[in-house]
Amino acid sequence: MKVAFAGTPEFAAIALRALIAAGFDIPLVLTQPDRPSGRGQKLVTSPVKDVALAHGIAVHQPEKLRDPATHAPLIAAAPDVLVVAAYGLILPPAVLDIPRRGCVNIHASLLPRWRGAAPIARAIEAGDLETGITIMQMDAGLDTGPMLLAERLKIGPDETAESLTDKLANLGGRLIVEALTRLDSLKPTPQPEQGATYAAKIDKAEGRIDWTRPAVEIERRLRAFDPFPGSTSQLGETTLKLWHAELAEGAGRPGEIIAVGPSGIVVACGEGALRLTELQKPGGRRLPAADFLRGFPLAAGERFSSPGNS
């Protein structure tokens, strides 16, 4: 079976490695164009491109796929199937129709829950107890196609978007190999409309903490937005990044620091309180609370601002 592949981040690169290891004939890889990154704004290749080049696979990097001329490399590759994983570009119907046996997507949720761009972070943010991988046939809708395979995965109480992405990436790599191996015998199952939710792309502005929200909700968002975009809060003139917290006892005005110690900084929320255990100052590194406080002392009575108490 000739399998073309479309993907960009490490999540997708893990699936590509699994397909290569399984011995599939991969004539072409599509990935997003090289992007400037870091302080020097050097062009950086995607993890998927790195894997493809390391294995001598042809790479195509269109900005968009609306122009029929950008479809030529895929048409020339004549794949039986196009596997898509976190590619980041919308595939128009003309592209979906190119592979002889259609396009198959590795989606990081249990569809129809969390269709869309950010299913992993949204599952953590919502307090879901489980998620998973769904292998689905692609259609013109947004993650609405029939399902071929799915497997569940528990979300741990300390799970971050980063740690959960790693687990789901490995699961996705295993499931896509299984799905393609069994493609002739798998029966496509239409998605139920009941339970469908949309995982909107994360905006950087969402990282600003609103201390008027319940502590349990803020704690989940810290984990959901780790590593991107990170959670921030203003303390005086300084914007701090807050990476990890745990539920704590205490009360006060939302955003008020009510206790400081080696185990963390306790901050009052709209309901309950949080003990901040990992923080980062501008230009600094992520540090445990005790180390952070040595270079950035805080005291009870100081108050983080939020949209509700600027």
Side-chain angles (χ1 to χ4, degrees), residues 17-245:
R17 291 189 194 99
L19 293 170
I20 293 169
F24 287 100
D25 178 8
I26 305 173
L28 180 69
V29 161
L30 283 74
T31 191
Q32 292 218 25
D34 301 351
R35 307 288 189 197
S37 180
R39 292 181 180 177
Q41 290 293 284
K42 287 186 176 181
L43 286 179
V44 176
T45 57
S46 75
V48 163
K49 181 178 180 178
D50 293 339
V51 173
L53 293 179
H55 289 85
I57 302 171
V59 176
H60 181 39
Q61 297 178 270
E63 283 280 355
K64 295 180 180 177
L65 287 164
R66 293 174 185 166
D67 183 353
T70 63
H71 307 169
L74 187 60
I75 293 170
D80 296 302
V81 173
L82 173 63
V83 171
V84 182
Y87 179 30
L89 294 184
I90 294 174
L91 304 187
V95 171
L96 295 175
D97 291 340
I98 292 172
R100 185 173 64 85
R101 303 187 67 175
C103 300
V104 177
N105 181 241
I106 307 171
H107 188 75
S109 80
L110 297 172
L111 292 171
R113 185 163 178 79
W114 301 128
R115 296 169 176 167
I120 298 174
R122 297 306 181 190
I124 295 173
E125 181 187 18
D128 290 2
L129 298 179
E130 65 176 7
T131 183
I133 289 287
T134 303
I135 306 295
M136 53 162 281
Q137 292 181 336
M138 297 180 69
D139 60 16
L142 180 63
D143 301 325
T144 56
M147 303 176 290
L148 297 174
L149 274 180
E151 188 167 318
R152 297 174 181 274
L153 183 71
K154 288 184 178 179
I155 299 177
D158 294 322
E159 206 81 70
T160 66
E162 183 173 46
S163 66
L164 188 55
T165 296
D166 290 344
K167 294 176 182 178
L168 288 170
N170 289 318
L171 177 57
R174 177 168 62 79
L175 282 189
I176 190 59
V177 169
E178 180 182 345
L180 294 184
T181 303
R182 298 172 50 199
L183 197 57
D184 291 332
S185 61
L186 290 176
K187 182 181 179 180
T189 303
Q191 292 185 38
E193 279 305 314
Q194 186 175 6
T197 56
Y198 177 65
K201 183 178 179 180
I202 296 170
D203 189 286
K204 284 187 177 181
E206 292 183 71
R208 189 181 178 198
I209 296 171
D210 181 355
W211 295 101
T212 66
R213 305 302 303 167
V216 64
E217 182 181 306
I218 297 172
E219 188 274 336
R220 290 199 306 255
R221 288 172 72 94
L222 261 62
R223 292 187 287 111
F225 298 162
D226 180 358
F228 177 84
S231 298
T232 63
S233 194
Q234 195 81 11
L235 188 68
E237 298 299 317
T238 306
T239 300
L240 299 179
K241 278 199 169 185
L242 312 179
W243 290 108
H244 190 269

Side-chain angles (χ1 to χ4, degrees), residues 229-285:
S231 298
T232 63
S233 194
Q234 195 81 11
L235 188 68
E237 298 299 317
T238 306
T239 300
L240 299 179
K241 278 199 169 185
L242 312 179
W243 290 108
H244 190 269
E246 56 194 29
L247 300 181
E249 294 185 357
R253 296 179 301 165
E256 181 183 359
I257 296 174
I258 53 179
V260 177
S263 63
I265 300 108
V266 181
V267 183
C269 305
E271 292 177 18
L274 281 181
R275 179 177 290 105
L276 306 177
T277 57
E278 188 178 27
L279 306 89
Q280 181 179 0
K281 65 182 180 180
R285 296 180 292 113

